[in-house]
Amino acid sequence: GLQELTLALVYFDIASQTEVELRELFSAADLEAALAERCERFEGWAEQESRHRCARDAGLAALAFPPGAFRAGQRILAEAVYRAATAGRCLLAQAPTGIGKTVGTLFPMLRAMPGQRLDKIAYLTCKGTGRLTALEALEGLRAGTAGQALRVLTMVAKDQACEHPDKACHGDACPLARGFYDRLPAAREEAVAAGFLGAETQRRVALRHGICPYYLGQELLRWADVLVGDVNHAFDPNGALWGLSQSQGWRLGMLVDEAHNLVDRARQMYSAELQLGQIAAAAAAAPAALRPVLERLGAAASALAEAQDSAYAVLDTVPDRLATALLAASAALGEHFQRLPTAVGPLLNFHFGLQHFARLAESLGEHSLFDIQRGNAPPAPSKSVRGSRWAPGVTSGANGGSEDATLSLRNVLPAPFLRPRFAALQGVVLFSATLGPPDYPTALLGLPANTAWLDVPPAFPAEHLQVRVADRISTRYAHRDRSLQALVDVIADQFDAHSGNYLAFFSSHDYLQQAAARLAAGRPDIAQWRQDRLMETRARQDFLDRFVPGGRGIGFAVLGGVFAEGVDLPGSRLIGAFIATLGLPPVSPVQSQFRARIDAIFGAEQGYADLVPALQKVVQAAGRVLRTPEDRGWLWLMDDRYRQPEVARLLPSWWQIAPTEPTEPRTPPPAATQTEGASCGPDEALGDNAAR
């Protein structure tokens, strides 16, 4: 019954323990009008969204398969995806190249959307090339709905969408942050009316209204139906999609393309490292008030490194002194940047990295390794850390010089972090041409116990791919010099018998260069081009442009690199591939500890630490050869270990590998067990270990 009220907004400064109070007098009529205006605005938006939801669901219920007829194997995949979506289950689908996996998974998931009352579908990829294919497919599917009643949003990374990377995301620093929420409603309305919101559309709409494209995209997550982006949006500790889906209670369905990469990507998300030199640089750059806490962190890390007897050591726990210093430094930096919201630069980046490291340190368990690696550091900067005896180069090398050290938290098993996320989804499909064996992704990713498995047959007859094993050749590091000429002879003989464009994959750049040089010396008539260690986008495209229809030459590349997957060279652009490696990881102290931890959890006989991921890379590279049902080609597996049963069982069952043909001379087999060490190459383990 009051006619007026005085409202107060009070700011409390934590550092100075002072208050600033802003007061304003309002009449009851003014407050009534303000409430009515807000309710009217909300009601209009809510009614619009309700109409959109009804139109979307009606359009999807009547959606027809856009190409008209399913390809061979595509219907099998689509039916399995639909069953998984309607049951709310997880599906692992191994589907070969050429059947149209993108539209074969999107179509059934969209058809299931109305019946399952899904709020959103996320189509996530581990590499950027897959997103382009998904967006093309979604354009066709959206066109098939009445009134194109389907909103599609590309989720763009902040570093790609930011217009002012040198400024803080704050109204006092960035012009696109100032007044953001005042201008957001009009931009949001224009964006949802557009419907198909690629990165460029988001940018154009945002800049037209004078707001940040990245944060407009974050706002549009709430109002889009299909979200396309990288897997980190859902699986990273700070992924915005995951956080919003939990806070808003969304019913979310998910498709994960190129899912064979998810294990490695998830390991990266839940790993972190901290170098002594980084701490020293942060302390040197920090204000005087922050230096003591950063110096204590550096001293704790330095003492831990000095206490180790070897250059590489694994610890079971994070010592209390280091843990306390981590929390203190993280808290001090957090308070500092709260007081300076417009700050940017290396110290802020260090703060973010330290927060990530501290969080992972708190959750250290058998799923991760905590290790320390010492190495020679560059000379200490001339500006030392004031008031401290500690600076970069805190440990002493054997030669009296300085050493840096790196503390690493390396995730080995992502399952504990991802398991609750998969459990919260209303249906998820992980698909790739190389997912097997199914127990591997299920165990390492923490998929539900009732996860279904589908192995789709190829879209072409098996005889279209001629698979040969050069089993008289050993590509082990110790035998490469002796086997190099025989390897090059196989390549040259195949090229002479069936000339055309080939890809030759090797375990390292050094091995690649040796083979390419030997072939060039003996057969200068065979055109060749090579992958360099650091190739920019233009150079990569130039490499691929050499594969012209009807061409004749050999492209040399590294297995597991940019040309080993996601490359589409149909028809005569590529007629064959040579894989001169087993793809095993390099022998190193880190890999040995990694393998020991995985073997302790799952058993050495599974090969989860090295053999399974290695063969996935091999099969991915082999998948470059046949891209359409009409293609024909040749595949050479160049190592005697491809004949071993434990290797052969991990190769695609439809591959018809030709029997061994007696050829002389044969490269001698290993004389003794290979000793692990720095001189070993990237594929040493199998065949040198009696257990394998």
Side-chain angles (χ1 to χ4, degrees):
L2 299 177
Q3 295 300 310
E4 58 186 24
L5 287 174
T6 298
L7 303 183
L9 175 63
V10 182
Y11 289 92
F12 179 66
D13 189 304
I14 299 174
S16 63
Q17 297 288 297
T18 59
E19 294 182 359
V20 175
E21 186 177 282
L22 306 178
R23 288 174 169 266
E24 193 167 346
L25 182 67
F26 292 93
S27 69
D30 290 339
L31 294 174
E32 176 86 13
L35 176 62
E37 188 272 336
R38 282 160 175 74
C39 289
E40 182 179 354
R41 190 189 307 169
F42 177 85
E43 184 180 26
W45 182 266
E47 288 178 349
Q48 170 192 288
E49 290 306 293
S50 179
R51 291 193 300 270
H52 166 74
R53 179 72 173 249
C54 291
R56 182 201 76 179
D57 287 352
L60 293 179
L63 182 63
F65 190 65
F70 287 96
R71 298 182 189 177
Q74 197 176 41
R75 179 182 288 276
I76 298 173
L77 175 62
E79 290 175 350
V81 171
Y82 185 80
R83 287 195 298 269
T86 54
R89 292 179 63 186
C90 179
L91 169 67
L92 283 169
Q94 181 169 267
T97 299
I99 70 167
K101 293 189 289 291
T102 303
V103 71
T105 53
L106 274 168
F107 171 73
M109 185 66 86
L110 288 170
R111 284 295 302 267
M113 201 173 186
Q116 293 307 108
R117 297 179 293 108
L118 296 181
D119 296 302
K120 302 181 189 302
I121 292 172
Y123 186 101
L124 307 178
T125 69
C126 295
K127 296 196 174 181
T129 52
R131 294 194 283 279
L132 298 177
T133 306
L135 290 170
E136 290 174 0
L138 283 165
E139 276 195 288
L141 290 163
R142 181 171 180 265
T145 61
Q148 298 195 359
L150 186 70
R151 294 178 189 158
V152 178
L153 174 72
T154 300
M155 295 182 287
V156 186
K158 186 174 183 179
D159 58 352
Q160 297 173 351
C162 181
E163 293 288 316
H164 299 284
D166 59 326
K167 297 179 175 62
C169 298
H170 191 274
D172 290 338
C174 179
L176 298 181
R178 190 176 303 120
F180 177 86
Y181 290 101
D182 296 330
R183 295 190 289 274
L184 174 62
R188 180 176 54 207
E189 188 171 348
E190 180 181 344
V192 297
F196 200 87
L197 298 161
E200 187 53 39
T201 300
Q202 294 175 56
R203 180 176 184 271
R204 185 170 59 251
V205 171
L207 296 182
R208 184 180 295 126
H209 293 272
I211 63 174
C212 172
Y214 172 72
Y215 282 103
L216 174 61
Q218 295 292 289
E219 172 69 20
L220 294 174
L221 284 173
R222 303 168 184 268
W223 313 112
D225 304 311
V226 183
L227 312 169
V228 180
D230 189 86
V231 290
N232 75 295
H233 293 284
F235 298 113
D236 186 84
N238 300 314
L241 173 58
W242 168 252
L244 270 175
S245 69
Q246 293 304 291
S247 65
Q248 301 297 314
W250 292 338
R251 291 180 59 82
L252 179 65
M254 188 176 292
L255 300 169
V256 182
D257 193 3
E258 301 160 332
H260 62 281
N261 288 308
L262 187 55
V263 171
D264 282 344
R265 286 293 309 276
R267 283 171 174 159
Q268 294 170 12
M269 295 173 197
Y270 294 93
S271 297
E273 68 175 29
L274 186 63
Q275 294 178 344
L276 299 188
Q278 290 176 322
I279 306 174
L290 283 177
R291 288 177 188 167
V293 72
L294 291 173
E295 290 169 4
R296 286 194 291 273
L297 173 61
S302 175
L304 187 60
E306 286 184 307
Q308 309 311 313
D309 296 331
S310 60
Y312 177 80
V314 175
L315 283 70
D316 294 332
T317 60
V318 178
D320 290 342
R321 180 186 175 187
L322 178 62
T324 301
L326 280 169
L327 293 177
S330 183
L333 285 167
E335 291 179 7
H336 170 73
F337 286 111
Q338 278 187 333
R339 293 192 296 270
L340 296 173
T342 61
V344 294
L347 188 61
L348 180 63
N349 295 333
F350 175 81
H351 168 52
F352 292 147
L354 189 65
Q355 283 186 316
H356 182 54
F357 190 95
R359 283 194 296 266
L360 292 178
E362 289 181 345
S363 63
L364 180 64
E366 71 168 359
H367 52 71
S368 299
L369 291 171
F370 175 47
D371 61 40
I372 301 172
Q373 192 160 9
R374 293 203 306 263
N376 289 331
S382 57
K383 182 179 179 181
S384 61
V385 180
R386 184 173 62 85
S388 172
R389 293 181 298 171
W390 170 82
V394 291
T395 59
S396 298
N399 59 1
S402 64
E403 286 187 328
D404 198 359
T406 301
L407 281 61
S408 300
L409 291 161
R410 306 177 195 271
N411 180 256
V412 175
L413 180 64
F417 298 105
L418 302 190
R419 186 176 290 113
R421 303 200 176 196
F422 284 116
L425 296 170
Q426 268 65 49
V428 56
V429 179
L430 293 88
F431 59 100
S432 167
T434 51
L435 271 182
D439 290 346
Y440 175 75
T442 300
L444 270 72
L445 295 174
L447 300 179
N450 66 345
T451 296
W453 166 254
L454 174 69
D455 192 358
V456 181
F460 37 74
E463 56 269 21
H464 279 202
L465 183 66
Q466 301 294 315
V467 185
R468 301 287 185 267
V469 176
D471 51 14
R472 307 292 180 175
I473 292 174
S474 168
T475 63
R476 298 170 182 84
Y477 188 84
H479 308 139
R480 288 177 186 170
D481 288 343
R482 285 181 289 168
S483 65
L484 189 59
Q485 187 58 52
L487 184 151
V488 168
D489 289 343
V490 171
I491 294 176
D493 290 345
Q494 172 66 33
F495 187 87
D496 290 340
H498 304 280
S499 62
N501 287 330
Y502 290 83
L503 269 168
F505 294 101
F506 293 81
S507 57
S508 68
H509 285 279
D510 289 341
Y511 195 18
L512 177 158
Q513 294 294 339
Q514 292 172 18
R518 181 69 65 93
L519 179 65
R523 292 294 303 273
D525 58 304
I526 299 178
Q528 64 169 252
W529 48 101
R530 310 175 190 180
Q531 177 182 353
D532 294 330
R533 291 183 185 275
L534 298 175
M535 296 185 77
E536 301 293 339
T537 302
R538 181 65 260 174
R540 293 178 186 177
Q541 190 58 50
D542 290 343
F543 182 94
L544 294 175
D545 289 344
R546 297 287 298 271
F547 293 90
V548 298
R552 290 172 174 79
I554 300 174
F556 286 80
V558 175
L559 187 70
V562 293
F563 302 118
E565 60 177 280
V567 170
D568 193 19
L569 300 170
S572 62
R573 292 187 67 189
L574 183 72
I575 68 167
F578 307 93
I579 302 178
T581 174
L582 207 63
L584 294 169
V587 175
S588 69
V590 174
Q591 176 61 23
S592 296
Q593 291 291 334
F594 193 94
R595 185 171 60 227
R597 181 66 58 88
I598 288 288
D599 289 351
I601 298 172
F602 299 108
E605 70 281 358
Q606 300 293 341
Y608 287 173
D610 41 34
L611 188 57
V612 171
L615 269 296
Q616 286 185 344
K617 293 178 183 177
V618 169
V619 178
Q620 272 292 323
R624 303 313 98 206
V625 179
L626 300 187
R627 305 302 296 174
T628 71
E630 294 75 32
D631 287 355
R632 293 175 178 267
W634 288 264
L635 172 65
W636 277 93
L637 306 174
M638 307 179 77
D639 195 285
D640 56 358
R641 290 169 289 182
Y642 282 107
R643 292 293 185 186
Q644 296 178 2
E646 59 267 42
V647 174
R649 71 178 177 84
L650 295 174
L651 299 176
S653 58
W654 62 271
W655 281 8
Q656 297 179 358
I657 301 177
T660 303
E661 296 180 4
T663 305
E664 296 295 341
R666 176 173 180 170
T667 303
T673 300
Q674 175 71 47
T675 302
E676 294 182 359
S679 63
C680 294
D683 51 0
E684 303 310 299
L686 199 72
D688 301 325
N689 186 329
R692 284 175 167 74

